[in-house]
PDB file of all heavy atoms in Angstrom:
ATOM      1  N   THR V 154     113.475  84.359  94.271  1.00 98.00           N
ATOM      2  CA  THR V 154     114.854  84.044  93.874  1.00 98.00           C
ATOM      3  C   THR V 154     115.823  85.041  94.514  1.00 98.00           C
ATOM      4  O   THR V 154     116.859  84.625  95.058  1.00 98.00           O
ATOM      5  CB  THR V 154     114.977  84.106  92.334  1.00 98.00           C
ATOM      6  OG1 THR V 154     114.087  83.112  91.768  1.00 98.00           O
ATOM      7  CG2 THR V 154     116.400  83.860  91.884  1.00 98.00           C
ATOM      8  N   TYR V 155     115.493  86.315  94.468  1.00 98.00           N
ATOM      9  CA  TYR V 155     116.366  87.320  95.047  1.00 98.00           C
ATOM     10  C   TYR V 155     116.586  87.080  96.538  1.00 98.00           C
ATOM     11  O   TYR V 155     117.723  87.090  97.021  1.00 98.00           O
ATOM     12  CB  TYR V 155     115.817  88.728  94.833  1.00 98.00           C
ATOM     13  CG  TYR V 155     116.596  89.755  95.603  1.00 98.00           C
ATOM     14  CD1 TYR V 155     117.897  90.111  95.210  1.00 98.00           C
ATOM     15  CD2 TYR V 155     116.080  90.331  96.762  1.00 98.00           C
ATOM     16  CE1 TYR V 155     118.632  91.027  95.950  1.00 98.00           C
ATOM     17  CE2 TYR V 155     116.820  91.235  97.507  1.00 98.00           C
ATOM     18  CZ  TYR V 155     118.091  91.577  97.103  1.00 98.00           C
ATOM     19  OH  TYR V 155     118.823  92.479  97.823  1.00 98.00           O
ATOM     20  N   LEU V 156     115.512  86.872  97.279  1.00 98.00           N
ATOM     21  CA  LEU V 156     115.652  86.684  98.728  1.00 98.00           C
ATOM     22  C   LEU V 156     116.419  85.401  99.059  1.00 98.00           C
ATOM     23  O   LEU V 156     117.190  85.368 100.024  1.00 98.00           O
ATOM     24  CB  LEU V 156     114.293  86.703  99.395  1.00 98.00           C
ATOM     25  CG  LEU V 156     113.633  88.086  99.469  1.00 98.00           C
ATOM     26  CD1 LEU V 156     112.170  87.993  99.886  1.00 98.00           C
ATOM     27  CD2 LEU V 156     114.402  89.020 100.409  1.00 98.00           C
ATOM     28  N   CYS V 157     116.225  84.339  98.268  1.00 98.00           N
ATOM     29  CA  CYS V 157     117.012  83.120  98.484  1.00 98.00           C
ATOM     30  C   CYS V 157     118.502  83.383  98.246  1.00 98.00           C
ATOM     31  O   CYS V 157     119.348  82.953  99.044  1.00 98.00           O
ATOM     32  CB  CYS V 157     116.526  82.007  97.544  1.00 98.00           C
ATOM     33  SG  CYS V 157     114.969  81.265  98.028  1.00 98.00           S
ATOM     34  N   GLU V 158     118.829  84.118  97.185  1.00 98.00           N
ATOM     35  CA  GLU V 158     120.217  84.432  96.914  1.00 98.00           C
ATOM     36  C   GLU V 158     120.810  85.301  98.031  1.00 98.00           C
ATOM     37  O   GLU V 158     121.946  85.102  98.436  1.00 98.00           O
ATOM     38  CB  GLU V 158     120.337  85.159  95.573  1.00 98.00           C
ATOM     39  CG  GLU V 158     120.064  84.266  94.377  1.00 98.00           C
ATOM     40  CD  GLU V 158     120.027  85.010  93.052  1.00 98.00           C
ATOM     41  OE1 GLU V 158     120.177  86.282  93.046  1.00 98.00           O
ATOM     42  OE2 GLU V 158     119.835  84.355  92.017  1.00 98.00           O
ATOM     43  N   LEU V 159     120.020  86.260  98.513  1.00 98.00           N
ATOM     44  CA  LEU V 159     120.478  87.124  99.576  1.00 98.00           C
ATOM     45  C   LEU V 159     120.738  86.331 100.861  1.00 98.00           C
ATOM     46  O   LEU V 159     121.729  86.528 101.546  1.00 98.00           O
ATOM     47  CB  LEU V 159     119.447  88.247  99.811  1.00 98.00           C
ATOM     48  CG  LEU V 159     119.910  89.398 100.693  1.00 98.00           C
ATOM     49  CD1 LEU V 159     121.076  90.162 100.052  1.00 98.00           C
ATOM     50  CD2 LEU V 159     118.731  90.347 100.939  1.00 98.00           C
ATOM     51  N   LEU V 160     119.829  85.413 101.157  1.00 98.00           N
ATOM     52  CA  LEU V 160     119.993  84.560 102.338  1.00 98.00           C
ATOM     53  C   LEU V 160     121.234  83.677 102.231  1.00 98.00           C
ATOM     54  O   LEU V 160     121.973  83.508 103.215  1.00 98.00           O
ATOM     55  CB  LEU V 160     118.748  83.686 102.558  1.00 98.00           C
ATOM     56  CG  LEU V 160     118.731  82.799 103.781  1.00 98.00           C
ATOM     57  CD1 LEU V 160     118.825  83.613 105.078  1.00 98.00           C
ATOM     58  CD2 LEU V 160     117.465  81.926 103.786  1.00 98.00           C
ATOM     59  N   ASP V 161     121.517  83.174 101.026  1.00 97.00           N
ATOM     60  CA  ASP V 161     122.710  82.372 100.827  1.00 97.00           C
ATOM     61  C   ASP V 161     123.974  83.217 100.963  1.00 97.00           C
ATOM     62  O   ASP V 161     124.970  82.780 101.533  1.00 97.00           O
ATOM     63  CB  ASP V 161     122.705  81.720  99.428  1.00 97.00           C
ATOM     64  CG  ASP V 161     121.689  80.577  99.335  1.00 97.00           C
ATOM     65  OD1 ASP V 161     121.207  80.107 100.374  1.00 97.00           O
ATOM     66  OD2 ASP V 161     121.370  80.194  98.188  1.00 97.00           O
ATOM     67  N   GLU V 162     123.921  84.445 100.436  1.00 97.00           N
ATOM     68  CA  GLU V 162     125.089  85.318 100.435  1.00 97.00           C
ATOM     69  C   GLU V 162     125.349  85.958 101.800  1.00 97.00           C
ATOM     70  O   GLU V 162     126.501  86.078 102.222  1.00 97.00           O
ATOM     71  CB  GLU V 162     124.850  86.441  99.400  1.00 97.00           C
ATOM     72  CG  GLU V 162     126.011  87.385  99.228  1.00 97.00           C
ATOM     73  CD  GLU V 162     125.684  88.458  98.199  1.00 97.00           C
ATOM     74  OE1 GLU V 162     124.900  88.206  97.255  1.00 97.00           O
ATOM     75  OE2 GLU V 162     126.215  89.583  98.366  1.00 97.00           O
ATOM     76  N   LEU V 163     124.283  86.356 102.502  1.00 97.00           N
ATOM     77  CA  LEU V 163     124.421  87.083 103.765  1.00 97.00           C
ATOM     78  C   LEU V 163     123.485  86.489 104.824  1.00 97.00           C
ATOM     79  O   LEU V 163     122.582  87.168 105.318  1.00 97.00           O
ATOM     80  CB  LEU V 163     124.095  88.571 103.555  1.00 97.00           C
ATOM     81  CG  LEU V 163     124.981  89.313 102.572  1.00 97.00           C
ATOM     82  CD1 LEU V 163     124.395  90.677 102.220  1.00 97.00           C
ATOM     83  CD2 LEU V 163     126.401  89.462 103.116  1.00 97.00           C
ATOM     84  N   PRO V 164     123.671  85.227 105.173  1.00 97.00           N
ATOM     85  CA  PRO V 164     122.713  84.591 106.069  1.00 97.00           C
ATOM     86  C   PRO V 164     122.580  85.246 107.425  1.00 97.00           C
ATOM     87  O   PRO V 164     121.445  85.460 107.891  1.00 97.00           O
ATOM     88  CB  PRO V 164     123.251  83.157 106.196  1.00 97.00           C
ATOM     89  CG  PRO V 164     124.663  83.220 105.803  1.00 97.00           C
ATOM     90  CD  PRO V 164     124.779  84.345 104.826  1.00 97.00           C
ATOM     91  N   ARG V 165     123.657  85.573 108.058  1.00 97.00           N
ATOM     92  CA  ARG V 165     123.578  86.189 109.410  1.00 97.00           C
ATOM     93  C   ARG V 165     122.835  87.509 109.352  1.00 97.00           C
ATOM     94  O   ARG V 165     122.016  87.802 110.210  1.00 97.00           O
ATOM     95  CB  ARG V 165     124.970  86.360 110.000  1.00 97.00           C
ATOM     96  CG  ARG V 165     124.918  87.032 111.379  1.00 97.00           C
ATOM     97  CD  ARG V 165     126.141  86.800 112.218  1.00 97.00           C
ATOM     98  NE  ARG V 165     126.414  85.417 112.554  1.00 97.00           N
ATOM     99  CZ  ARG V 165     125.745  84.665 113.437  1.00 97.00           C
ATOM    100  NH1 ARG V 165     124.727  85.177 114.043  1.00 97.00           N
ATOM    101  NH2 ARG V 165     126.114  83.451 113.701  1.00 97.00           N
ATOM    102  N   GLU V 166     123.126  88.325 108.361  1.00 98.00           N
ATOM    103  CA  GLU V 166     122.494  89.621 108.236  1.00 98.00           C
ATOM    104  C   GLU V 166     120.996  89.515 107.995  1.00 98.00           C
ATOM    105  O   GLU V 166     120.205  90.231 108.621  1.00 98.00           O
ATOM    106  CB  GLU V 166     123.140  90.456 107.123  1.00 98.00           C
ATOM    107  CG  GLU V 166     124.587  90.851 107.404  1.00 98.00           C
ATOM    108  CD  GLU V 166     125.627  89.797 107.026  1.00 98.00           C
ATOM    109  OE1 GLU V 166     125.277  88.615 106.831  1.00 98.00           O
ATOM    110  OE2 GLU V 166     126.835  90.153 106.974  1.00 98.00           O
ATOM    111  N   VAL V 167     120.611  88.606 107.102  1.00 98.00           N
ATOM    112  CA  VAL V 167     119.184  88.412 106.812  1.00 98.00           C
ATOM    113  C   VAL V 167     118.470  87.890 108.049  1.00 98.00           C
ATOM    114  O   VAL V 167     117.389  88.368 108.424  1.00 98.00           O
ATOM    115  CB  VAL V 167     118.967  87.494 105.605  1.00 98.00           C
ATOM    116  CG1 VAL V 167     117.492  87.150 105.418  1.00 98.00           C
ATOM    117  CG2 VAL V 167     119.524  88.147 104.326  1.00 98.00           C
ATOM    118  N   LEU V 168     119.037  86.889 108.719  1.00 98.00           N
ATOM    119  CA  LEU V 168     118.419  86.330 109.906  1.00 98.00           C
ATOM    120  C   LEU V 168     118.314  87.378 111.015  1.00 98.00           C
ATOM    121  O   LEU V 168     117.283  87.457 111.700  1.00 98.00           O
ATOM    122  CB  LEU V 168     119.221  85.119 110.410  1.00 98.00           C
ATOM    123  CG  LEU V 168     119.167  83.883 109.503  1.00 98.00           C
ATOM    124  CD1 LEU V 168     120.213  82.865 109.950  1.00 98.00           C
ATOM    125  CD2 LEU V 168     117.785  83.277 109.494  1.00 98.00           C
ATOM    126  N   THR V 169     119.345  88.174 111.198  1.00 98.00           N
ATOM    127  CA  THR V 169     119.294  89.224 112.220  1.00 98.00           C
ATOM    128  C   THR V 169     118.142  90.195 111.934  1.00 98.00           C
ATOM    129  O   THR V 169     117.425  90.594 112.851  1.00 98.00           O
ATOM    130  CB  THR V 169     120.650  89.984 112.266  1.00 98.00           C
ATOM    131  OG1 THR V 169     121.665  89.041 112.644  1.00 98.00           O
ATOM    132  CG2 THR V 169     120.611  91.110 113.268  1.00 98.00           C
ATOM    133  N   THR V 170     117.947  90.555 110.681  1.00 98.00           N
ATOM    134  CA  THR V 170     116.866  91.471 110.313  1.00 98.00           C
ATOM    135  C   THR V 170     115.513  90.828 110.574  1.00 98.00           C
ATOM    136  O   THR V 170     114.612  91.473 111.114  1.00 98.00           O
ATOM    137  CB  THR V 170     116.978  91.880 108.827  1.00 98.00           C
ATOM    138  OG1 THR V 170     118.194  92.630 108.665  1.00 98.00           O
ATOM    139  CG2 THR V 170     115.792  92.747 108.386  1.00 98.00           C
ATOM    140  N   VAL V 171     115.354  89.561 110.201  1.00 98.00           N
ATOM    141  CA  VAL V 171     114.063  88.886 110.408  1.00 98.00           C
ATOM    142  C   VAL V 171     113.745  88.795 111.898  1.00 98.00           C
ATOM    143  O   VAL V 171     112.621  89.076 112.319  1.00 98.00           O
ATOM    144  CB  VAL V 171     114.075  87.475 109.747  1.00 98.00           C
ATOM    145  CG1 VAL V 171     112.877  86.663 110.191  1.00 98.00           C
ATOM    146  CG2 VAL V 171     114.115  87.607 108.244  1.00 98.00           C
TER     147      VAL V 171
END
Side-chain angles (χ1 to χ4, degrees):
T154 299
Y155 171 72
L156 287 169
C157 285
E158 290 174 358
L159 192 63
L160 183 61
D161 288 345
E162 184 181 330
L163 300 167
R165 178 158 299 286
E166 292 85 344
V167 172
L168 291 168
T169 298
T170 296
V171 169

